[in-house]
Amino acid sequence: MISQQPAETPRDGRRYEIVAGRLLTTGAQPPAHHAAVVGLMVHLKTSCPPDLMVAVGSLAFRPTPTTTLRPDLIVCPRGYTGVHPPLLAVEVVSPSTRTTDVVLKRALYETHHIPSYWLLDPTHQELTILTLTPTGYTCQSVLQCEETFHTTHPFPITLTPSQLLA
């Protein structure tokens, strides 16, 4: 069964997550945030192999009984249950989420062994690609505007921030 947002959580445009038993609420995001999520989702779906899926905000990662994380976008195996780490977690950075995404989420995703973590900043047309190593996340690339990067994880794909945000 796919992990869905609990029925008792309001459907009010906010994102509800639990970190070490404490509720973390993110307010409704601006249109640029949603456009960036959709742009990246479309780009990823065109290269996604059939045994994987790209999901936007609808799936939770529950690494412990007191932690439920809901990335803006994930890539995971079909049949994902939310217990094991997704292959990729992506957060779209906005002014209201910058510290949470860059500091807190990075530490949580690293601690819970998510192999790849991307930060997409639509304001600066910047994509940061982090890869998990035995010592923690290593920055593979920070792409700006028209710069291009080819990665093989979670599957082969070429990325250019301006194309993702067009």
Side-chain angles (χ1 to χ4, degrees):
M1 179 177 169
I2 294 176
S3 300
Q4 299 295 327
Q5 187 165 322
E8 66 274 4
T9 303
R11 306 266 184 213
D12 58 4
R14 294 184 176 116
R15 180 170 43 179
Y16 295 90
E17 298 173 288
I18 301 169
V19 176
R22 298 180 64 193
L23 183 64
L24 177 66
T25 304
T26 304
Q29 295 300 312
H33 180 277
H34 297 292
V37 170
V38 170
L40 181 57
M41 178 201 64
V42 168
H43 192 72
L44 286 169
K45 281 179 106 30
T46 61
S47 299
C48 187
D51 60 322
L52 300 177
M53 68 177 176
V54 178
V56 176
S58 61
L59 299 179
F61 170 46
R62 294 186 173 99
T64 71
T66 61
T67 302
T68 300
L69 303 168
R70 192 172 302 279
D72 286 319
L73 185 148
I74 66 170
V75 173
C76 57
R78 294 201 177 274
Y80 180 74
T81 63
V83 177
H84 301 289
L87 301 173
L88 168 66
V90 179
E91 296 292 351
V92 175
V93 178
S94 62
S96 66
T97 66
R98 180 171 300 282
T99 301
T100 300
D101 294 340
V102 174
V103 180
L104 178 63
K105 292 274 187 98
R106 178 180 173 153
L108 288 167
Y109 295 160
E110 183 177 87
T111 298
H112 295 294
H113 309 289
I114 294 179
S116 292
Y117 179 38
W118 298 354
L119 293 146
L120 181 58
D121 183 340
T123 303
H124 298 100
Q125 289 193 346
E126 183 176 274
L127 176 64
T128 302
I129 299 172
L130 303 170
T131 302
L132 192 62
T133 67
T135 58
Y137 278 131
T138 299
C139 184
Q140 276 205 315
S141 187
V142 177
L143 306 172
Q144 296 183 340
C145 299
E146 300 296 325
E147 293 177 324
T148 299
F149 181 76
H150 182 77
T151 187
T152 58
H153 192 82
F155 46 79
I157 190 165
T158 300
L159 304 160
T160 305
S162 62
Q163 290 177 347
L164 302 175
L165 301 168

